[in-house]
């Protein structure tokens, strides 16, 4: 059944024809936010300007996702491979959460958004870590959208980490490899509290997964959107969800 998206008090969609099936909104949407560098290059600006603009898009898409009724929004902010970028760019990206949370945390709280992370947090600069920890603490009782930042995250490293922690647990419980199940591996992933994403979006036209949620995206619908991340907006998000809703998910069956 198709209904018009209800008018909302805040962040209200301004297009009149956002026909979404409100009974088929993906619970978990994951996004590879790609194209910040190209956005800046097109404007002859330094790459970091693209990341700044990308941060503005994070704000808008978070509010939109919350309004649509998405429950989990996982954003790939920094991969375990991104350390190979020039130092000034790495430093800038590492400071983005500080900047973002300084200006946006009150709005997240007001909108009942809960901030969470996946990734190897222990390797982040102290100021980044502190800002994130504060945001997690201040939003821990919120019951709305879970905004999950993947920072210093890599799918392979996550699976290795899961394997090690599962090995320790098996030894502790006197179990052997014969006892290992898919569920146990899943339970040791950083995403163990979240359902698998039904929808994975990558912006900028690139078509690859880049080590993002490689276990969890086994049955995700992939949408490769042509917009560069700083240009991605609520209309594009709605379009992606409409495409998702038009797909038939078979999970290997018929
Ligand atoms: C990929 O684009 C983008 C990143 C590696 C950084 C993503 C970070 C943000 C969008 C901001 C995150 C905000 C917060 C609050 C954490 P690219 O640089 O690879 O672009 P290119 O492929 O065009 O060069």
């Amino acid at each position: 059944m198709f209904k018009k998206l209800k008018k909302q008090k805040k962040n209200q969609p301004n297009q009149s024809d956002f026909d979404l099936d409100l009974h088929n909104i993906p619970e978990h949407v994951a996004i590879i936010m790609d194209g910040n560098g190209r956005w800046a290059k097109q404007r002859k600006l330094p790459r970091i300007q693209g990341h700044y603009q990308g941060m503005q898009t994070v704000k808008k898409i978070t509010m939109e996702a919350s309004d649509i009724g998405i429950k989990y929004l996982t954003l790939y902010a920094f991969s375990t491979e991104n350390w190979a970028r020039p130092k000034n760019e790495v430093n800038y990206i590492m400071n983005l959460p500080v900047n973002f949370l300084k200006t946006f945390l009150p709005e997240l709280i007001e909108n009942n958004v809960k901030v969470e992370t996946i990734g190897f947090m222990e390797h982040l600069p102290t100021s980044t870590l502190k800002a994130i920890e504060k945001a997690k603490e201040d939003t821990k009782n919120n019951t709305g959208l879970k905004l999950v930042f993947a920072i210093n995250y890599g799918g392979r490293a996550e699976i290795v980490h899961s394997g090690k922690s599962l090995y320790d647990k098996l030894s502790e419980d006197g179990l052997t490899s014969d006892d290992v199940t898919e569920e146990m591996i899943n339970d040791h992933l950083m995403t163990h509290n979240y359902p698998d994403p039904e929808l994975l979006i990558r912006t900028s036209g690139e078509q690859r997964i880049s080590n993002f949620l490689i276990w969890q995206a086994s049955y995700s619908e992939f949408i490769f959107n042509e917009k560069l991340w700083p240009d991605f907006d609520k209309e594009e998000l709605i379009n992606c969800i409409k495409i998702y809703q038009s797909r038939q998910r078979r999970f290997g069956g018929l």
Side-chain angles (χ1 to χ4, degrees), residues 5-245:
L5 188 64
K6 269 207 212 114
K7 293 260 180 216
Q8 313 259 344
K9 267 194 234 132
K10 281 182 209 144
N11 308 302
Q12 144 182 338
N14 53 17
Q15 263 85 12
S16 57
D17 59 349
F18 283 173
D19 288 318
L20 281 180
D21 177 357
L22 296 183
H23 302 291
N24 188 18
I25 300 292
E27 195 178 16
H28 185 172
V29 176
I31 308 184
I32 302 176
M33 309 180 285
D34 197 12
N36 294 347
R38 274 163 285 167
W39 184 92
K41 194 172 176 201
Q42 282 174 359
R43 290 161 180 77
K44 300 191 170 32
L45 294 169
R47 289 179 57 83
I48 57 170
Q49 203 62 44
H51 295 312
Y52 175 81
Q53 211 51 48
M55 180 182 77
Q56 305 306 326
T57 304
V58 170
K59 293 182 185 176
K60 287 187 223 146
I61 294 303
T62 299
M63 283 305 118
E64 187 57 22
S66 166
D67 285 351
I68 293 172
I70 291 166
K71 300 275 186 285
Y72 304 83
L73 177 66
T74 301
L75 301 177
Y76 205 8
F78 193 86
S79 77
T80 43
E81 289 70 40
N82 284 152
W83 295 105
R85 293 188 176 210
K87 205 161 178 254
N88 76 316
E89 185 172 342
V90 169
N91 289 345
Y92 190 83
I93 298 176
M94 280 297 149
N95 200 42
L96 281 175
V98 180
N99 203 332
F100 174 83
L101 293 164
K102 204 188 287 169
T103 55
F104 198 49
L105 187 55
E107 208 173 319
L108 292 177
I109 295 170
E110 196 187 315
N111 283 276
N112 200 21
V113 174
K114 189 171 185 207
V115 176
E116 300 194 352
T117 55
I118 52 171
F120 298 90
M121 294 295 118
E122 60 277 17
H123 299 121
L124 301 185
T126 315
S127 54
T128 313
L129 208 49
K130 265 176 130 176
I132 292 170
E133 287 309 323
K134 178 172 168 20
K136 284 185 183 172
E137 180 59 29
D138 291 358
T139 62
K140 70 175 181 207
N141 295 321
N142 288 355
T143 54
L145 172 76
K146 285 192 179 57
L147 174 61
V148 184
F149 286 110
I151 306 184
N152 195 22
Y153 172 85
R156 289 186 176 183
E158 179 192 32
I159 292 170
V160 170
H161 179 265
S162 165
K164 287 181 180 175
S165 118
L166 178 56
Y167 176 83
D168 290 345
K169 176 86 175 119
L170 292 172
S171 315
E172 206 180 292
D173 294 352
L175 299 173
T176 70
S177 59
D178 287 341
D179 300 304
V180 175
T181 62
E182 198 173 300
E183 198 185 356
M184 283 160 100
I185 294 174
N186 202 52
D187 285 348
H188 287 261
L189 294 172
M190 293 162 174
T191 51
H192 61 94
N193 284 326
Y194 315 135
D196 288 343
E198 296 97 323
L199 172 59
L200 192 149
I201 300 169
R202 181 174 189 141
T203 59
S204 90
E206 303 289 345
Q207 301 195 0
R208 49 180 182 271
I209 193 163
S210 299
N211 206 12
F212 187 44
L213 301 177
I214 52 178
W215 169 282
Q216 299 85 341
S218 297
Y219 288 101
S220 301
E221 293 297 324
F222 284 33
I223 294 181
F224 299 107
N225 182 280
E226 291 299 320
K227 292 267 181 189
L228 302 175
W229 176 249
D231 292 329
F232 191 79
D233 57 16
K234 63 182 175 187
E235 203 182 336
E236 291 297 329
L237 179 66
I238 301 268
N239 280 337
C240 288
I241 296 175
K242 281 187 190 169
I243 295 170
Y244 164 82
Q245 292 183 336

